[in-house]
Amino acid sequence: MNRVSGIWVPALLWAGIVFSTGCQENKPRSETTQQRPTVVIGAVLNVSGPLAAIGEPTLRTLQAFVNQYNVRPDRKFTLELRYQDASSDPSKAPDALMRLRARSPQPTILLASTSATAMAILPHARQSEVPLIANAGHPDIVKNGGPAVILAFPAPEDEIAAMVEAIPSDSSAFLVRADDVYHAQDAAVLQRTLGPRLVGDERFTLGQEDFSAIVQKIQRVRPSRVLLVGLGISYDAFFRELLARGVNTPIVVDTDFRSSQLSGYPAGILPRITFIATELMGDSAPPPYAAQYQNSFGSIPPYYATILVDVLNLALE
């Protein structure tokens, strides 16, 4: 795999698009200029159940991108977006993929927006040789995905190494993480790396609003840094609880933000935060489709959705 602008993109992705849409070199020039090949994007998302807080914004972001792309005069393809709901249950993801593949033409590219969903459909993606863009970096996906998988996030070991570097060598850290398998892997690596310097490990659930108990523990332990890993859906509530209790501990955040998307967070918290993924992957102005998204939904598309679209857009260039 090749790393381009902080994003993992194998040559197989482009090859898969060309193969699935038909080789254009053998067609008359007038035909190729008049009719662009169609790229069918098959997305397995969680638009119902507990993970809908991730799946719905991801679907909206994909729809906004496709609408914006299809009116570009310089586009190489016409995009068609199809999706199926895995209902926040990884065991239902393969059936959702089968429903996507039941229609003709079959998807040219597959997308999955969580680690568990990507892992569930990975064997089917490998078998069909259709590239899979996974908005996750679970170690099992990295190890077993092979060239058919494109990771939209930095490699997990890069993120962990960057977090550790952000902690002074003689300082302690308190970990606050999402309660899922992926971030349990992060916790295990941090525990091995930091040893006794890791003085706390607390978990939160997706969409959690009450962080009072966790912040009280941080107050008692008084760590040098708070490490925050997980999806950014609950971060606003956590930040506000820190401010309300007067906790001034510097914070290291692993993913899910770009500076252009932070306007909704309390101003007093921002100077204390180190954003690891933003530093690893770079920052940019809001993408062209962000205005349509904001007009429709009143907010900027979330980071975990835009980075998935970044990879897709790079493949279409």
Side-chain angles (χ1 to χ4, degrees):
M1 289 187 288
N2 300 316
R3 192 171 186 173
V4 182
S5 300
I7 302 172
W8 296 96
V9 183
L12 178 63
L13 178 58
W14 177 254
I17 292 176
V18 173
F19 178 79
S20 299
T21 56
C23 181
Q24 300 301 307
E25 294 179 356
N26 295 327
K27 293 187 177 182
R29 182 176 180 84
S30 60
E31 183 178 349
T32 59
T33 56
Q34 292 176 1
Q35 185 175 3
R36 296 178 177 88
T38 297
V39 170
V40 178
I41 303 165
V44 179
L45 306 173
N46 299 292
V47 294
S48 64
L51 295 177
I54 302 169
E56 287 184 359
T58 300
L59 175 59
R60 292 171 180 173
T61 303
L62 287 168
Q63 290 170 332
F65 167 72
V66 168
N67 292 339
Q68 181 268 333
Y69 181 91
N70 280 340
V71 298
R72 283 173 46 184
D74 62 338
R75 70 188 188 278
K76 298 178 182 178
F77 306 99
T78 296
L79 302 186
E80 178 184 343
L81 175 64
R82 302 177 191 167
Y83 78 94
Q84 288 290 331
D85 182 17
S87 304
S88 300
D89 183 349
S91 68
K92 296 181 180 179
D95 288 340
L97 176 60
M98 292 302 104
R99 292 195 298 272
L100 281 174
R101 295 179 62 189
R103 288 182 56 188
S104 181
Q106 293 193 8
T108 312
I109 305 173
L110 297 174
L111 304 180
S113 62
T114 66
S115 294
T117 301
M119 291 172 67
I121 68 174
L122 180 58
H124 304 273
R126 284 205 305 260
Q127 184 178 16
S128 62
E129 297 184 348
V130 176
L132 167 63
I133 300 177
N135 197 0
H138 192 285
D140 289 346
I141 300 175
V142 178
K143 179 180 178 181
N144 301 320
V149 175
I150 307 96
L151 297 179
F153 275 99
E157 60 271 18
D158 291 344
E159 287 190 26
I160 296 299
M163 293 193 80
V164 172
E165 287 179 3
I167 307 168
S169 59
D170 58 346
S171 300
S172 61
F174 191 108
L175 176 62
V176 180
R177 60 182 169 95
D179 189 8
D180 56 44
V181 174
Y182 172 48
H183 293 99
Q185 298 274 354
D186 286 349
V189 175
L190 285 168
Q191 288 165 354
R192 289 196 301 268
T193 305
L194 296 175
R197 294 169 57 203
L198 188 65
V199 294
D201 180 2
E202 293 292 327
R203 291 171 287 180
F204 62 90
T205 57
L206 186 66
Q208 181 171 324
E209 294 291 333
D210 184 0
F211 284 87
S212 57
I214 292 178
V215 173
Q216 286 174 11
K217 291 180 181 179
I218 293 172
Q219 286 180 302
R220 290 196 298 269
V221 174
R222 301 171 65 88
S224 300
R225 295 291 187 278
V226 170
L227 310 181
L228 185 58
V229 299
L231 295 166
I233 296 167
S234 298
Y235 288 4
D236 184 42
F238 178 67
F239 292 156
R240 294 187 186 282
E241 185 69 24
L242 288 175
L243 288 177
R245 294 182 176 273
V247 179
N248 297 314
T249 309
I251 305 164
V252 180
V253 176
D254 71 333
T255 63
D256 304 321
F257 291 101
R258 287 179 174 170
S259 60
S260 57
Q261 296 176 295
L262 294 171
S263 58
Y265 287 87
I269 206 79
L270 298 183
R272 294 158 41 194
I273 302 178
T274 300
F275 297 100
I276 295 301
T278 300
E279 294 177 359
L280 285 174
M281 305 186 72
D283 203 355
S284 65
Y289 58 85
Q292 178 185 336
Y293 187 103
Q294 188 163 22
N295 289 338
S296 299
F297 307 111
S299 63
I300 296 175
Y303 178 76
Y304 54 79
T306 59
I307 194 62
L308 190 68
V309 171
D310 283 349
V311 179
L312 176 60
N313 188 43
L314 183 61
L316 297 170
E317 292 300 323

